[in-house]
Amino acid sequence: MMLRNAAGRRAVATAATAVSLALALTACSGTTKDSEVSGSAKAGSSAKADPDAPLKKGLKIAFLPKQINNPYEKIVDEAGIAAAEEYGGTGKEVGPSDANASSQVSYINTLIQQRQDAILIAANDPNAVCGPLKQAMKKGIKVVAYDSDTAKDCRQLFINQASSEEIGRSLVQHLGEQIGHKGKIAILSATQNATNQNTWIEYMKEELKLPAYKDMELVKVAYGDDADQKSFQQTQGLMQAYPDLKGIISPTTVGIAAAARYLSDSSYKGKVVLNGLGTPNQMRKYVKDGTVEQFSLWNPEELGHLGSYAAAALASGQITGAEGEKFEAGKLGEYTIGKDGEVILGEPTVFDSKNIDTFDF
Ligand code: RAM
């Protein structure tokens, strides 16, 4: 796991009213599988790190989100592009309009032709993007996964928004408390291949195996593909199939907003508990009208900022992606690379009616 220094943590503390998820979870290695290649052994990262190397000027970095029309991904990428300007580089965002498994491949090929210094990718599939990303690394282009990881040997770093285990387990813990640990629940996810959603769902299922949840039953995982209308329809379908559903977890900003819109205008409003990951600006009205009591997220701007500085540190030779290397992430302070090239931004925040108005993203 990534370790933050205390100064860095203080520097980015969100509003004092924020309730952070203080879970005593030990492991936080996300998609880690022991058998896989670790950060230092990646293609294109055989050089030694020079921690004193200055950030190069004029770096060209490109953000390739899951899809360009996702408001959450926009916030992340715009912050990353702004960070590139801070260190004298240029950033841009390119990407598909849908989050299909292979929709990012042609964009990677173009970015290679353009000789970008670094590609940051929120992977729609851990493997479908691997061939072209390995090509990029062979050509000296640095590859940083953010938001949603690739397979570990297809990138040098993964900038994770928070511990994957903590995200998955805490969503079940919160929903469990809200429904008195009893009743049928469903998950409304994004696409079937999304690495981040699938990792969180695995941890949700692990949490549900604990004795505290013996009276809770996960009846269905539905997929709204991070498309607003499909997510809305999937929520409607869930309620038709399971009218006695007690709760829904939607670990996607697109999904939870669409599910809230459906519930807010239905007889299930205030009866079916909806929890998950959302942006305060998209969810505010559903918290105010009583459809949603609470949801979580990290600060997406900070994720983009951190990813951008990590890409610059790689492209400048300050780091190679090996465990234990450190780099400065601008205003966020120092970060240390963890196992399997994973860097963790911090802890998510829980939003509810008491604190939501102190956030604007
Ligand atoms: C959606 C995307 C993204 C995820 C957030 C929480 O915007 O699926 O990958 O991290 O939700």
Side-chain angles (χ1 to χ4, degrees):
M1 79 180 273
M2 189 283 315
L3 300 169
R4 295 287 304 274
N5 63 9
R9 185 66 238 155
R10 274 198 300 279
V12 298
T14 43
T17 46
V19 186
S20 70
L21 301 181
L23 293 173
L25 293 166
T26 46
C28 52
S29 51
T31 49
T32 300
K33 287 202 191 81
D34 289 344
S35 57
E36 291 180 21
V37 186
S38 78
S40 56
K42 305 282 163 47
S45 61
S46 49
K48 274 194 100 184
D50 175 4
D52 298 322
L55 289 188
K56 286 183 184 161
K57 293 285 169 211
L59 289 173
K60 290 193 295 180
I61 68 160
F63 283 81
L64 178 45
K66 284 179 165 181
Q67 57 187 130
I68 43 164
N69 46 350
N70 174 333
Y72 163 84
E73 309 252 323
K74 263 257 146 350
I75 303 172
V76 178
D77 296 352
E78 280 174 4
I81 292 165
E85 280 162 22
E86 279 173 23
Y87 54 73
T90 49
K92 66 174 178 178
E93 182 198 54
V94 293
S97 55
D98 65 72
N100 287 336
S102 58
S103 59
Q104 294 169 310
V105 169
S106 63
Y107 291 90
I108 302 169
N109 290 332
T110 305
L111 293 172
I112 296 173
Q113 281 162 14
Q114 294 171 345
R115 298 184 168 278
Q116 296 289 320
D117 292 297
I119 297 173
L120 291 107
I121 180 167
N124 281 322
D125 181 288
N127 301 308
V129 288
C130 271
L133 288 180
K134 283 183 175 167
Q135 278 302 317
M137 288 194 288
K138 258 194 205 144
K139 297 204 151 99
I141 298 173
K142 304 303 175 190
V143 176
V144 177
Y146 70 102
D147 181 47
S148 183
D149 204 2
T150 63
K152 288 173 203 352
D153 55 344
C154 310
R155 48 69 173 166
Q156 277 128 341
L157 286 178
F158 171 42
I159 310 299
N160 201 352
Q161 37 274 27
S163 147
S164 301
E165 177 163 4
E166 180 175 325
I167 294 171
R169 287 187 186 269
S170 66
L171 291 176
V172 171
Q173 289 161 359
H174 293 161
L175 185 74
E177 280 168 26
Q178 289 179 289
I179 65 170
H181 296 96
K182 217 178 168 113
K184 292 181 182 160
I185 65 164
I187 295 170
L188 173 66
S189 186
T191 59
Q192 295 211 18
N193 299 321
T195 327
N196 56 347
Q197 259 85 16
N198 287 342
T199 308
W200 299 332
I201 291 170
E202 273 177 41
Y203 283 118
M204 289 182 207
K205 290 180 176 168
E206 282 304 308
E207 180 70 15
L208 284 167
K209 286 182 191 157
L210 299 176
Y213 305 99
K214 64 178 186 341
D215 297 327
M216 269 167 70
E217 186 195 355
L218 175 63
V219 292
K220 170 115 179 151
V221 180
Y223 296 93
D225 291 347
D226 268 352
D228 173 71
Q229 205 44 36
K230 185 164 181 199
S231 304
F232 184 91
Q233 284 158 359
Q234 288 292 315
T235 312
Q236 190 173 28
L238 281 174
M239 294 317 308
Q240 274 160 7
Y242 308 97
D244 55 344
L245 206 62
K246 288 284 179 286
I248 300 174
I249 296 176
S250 187
T252 135
T253 58
V254 179
I256 195 172
R261 195 169 81 248
Y262 172 76
L263 293 177
S264 70
D265 205 22
S266 78
S267 58
Y268 302 109
K269 179 179 169 184
K271 296 195 183 109
V272 174
V273 175
L274 174 63
N275 208 319
L277 301 173
T279 66
N281 287 353
Q282 281 184 290
M283 296 303 289
R284 183 168 286 107
K285 67 173 177 220
Y286 303 114
V287 169
K288 304 247 175 200
D289 78 3
T291 306
V292 172
E293 207 182 307
Q294 62 159 235
F295 61 97
S296 311
L297 200 71
W298 41 90
N299 184 324
E301 283 183 12
E302 290 180 357
L303 182 64
H305 190 87
L306 176 58
S308 188
Y309 271 94
L314 270 177
S316 303
Q318 257 179 28
I319 55 173
T320 63
E323 185 172 356
E325 291 173 351
K326 296 177 194 306
F327 65 97
E328 284 291 323
K331 65 180 180 188
L332 298 180
E334 186 182 85
Y335 278 78
T336 306
I337 300 172
K339 192 164 175 286
D340 293 320
E342 185 178 13
V343 178
I344 297 181
L345 173 67
E347 285 176 359
T349 296
V350 178
F351 306 98
D352 58 20
S353 61
K354 290 195 272 316
N355 68 4
I356 194 160
D357 283 336
T358 61
F359 296 94
D360 183 17
F361 59 80

